Amino acid sequence: MPGYVWSAVRDAPVRELFPGIRQRPLWRGDGGASAQVLEMDPDSRWEGIDVHDPGPEEVFVVSGVFNDGHRDYPAGSFIHAPAGSSHVPQTTTGCTLFVFYPEG
């Protein structure tokens, strides 16, 4: 179909953001919107605070249990973090997340 973009997680380049936390970019659209998979090993933690700027962040927990520094989100959870909000991504079990930034 014209305009469709397809990518496979297994073929996406891997970038280590922090020890035990890997990013796999899947798509980047006009205006900065993007989609990625974030893989977090057990007992990994984001270094510092993740601030959602300039726009919101939307997360779907594919597997494992994700913690934002306040509560646990098991597989199947959806999280919408509005622009300007922040959290400290972490996990004790390990997790895989689908992350979408609709505004960059």
Side-chain angles (χ1 to χ4, degrees):
M1 299 293 285
Y4 273 46
V5 175
W6 179 89
S7 60
V9 173
R10 71 178 178 277
D11 297 333
V14 179
R15 179 175 156 225
E16 186 167 29
L17 300 177
F18 303 107
I21 301 177
R22 294 168 304 284
Q23 175 191 50
R24 293 178 179 263
L26 300 175
W27 171 81
R28 180 166 293 279
D30 297 335
S34 66
Q36 61 189 320
V37 166
L38 201 67
E39 301 166 330
M40 299 179 70
D41 292 341
D43 297 316
S44 60
R45 180 184 180 98
W46 198 268
E47 294 179 5
I49 298 173
D50 181 24
V51 179
H52 308 117
D53 183 43
E57 174 186 74
E58 297 178 341
V59 176
F60 180 76
V61 182
V62 176
S63 66
V65 178
F66 171 71
N67 182 288
D68 64 1
H70 298 286
R71 63 168 291 189
D72 286 336
Y73 300 91
S77 297
F78 173 78
I79 306 148
H80 170 81
S85 65
S86 63
H87 62 163
V88 180
Q90 56 198 288
T91 181
T92 56
T93 63
C95 62
T96 299
L97 310 172
F98 174 76
V99 182
F100 180 63
Y101 296 99
E103 298 175 24

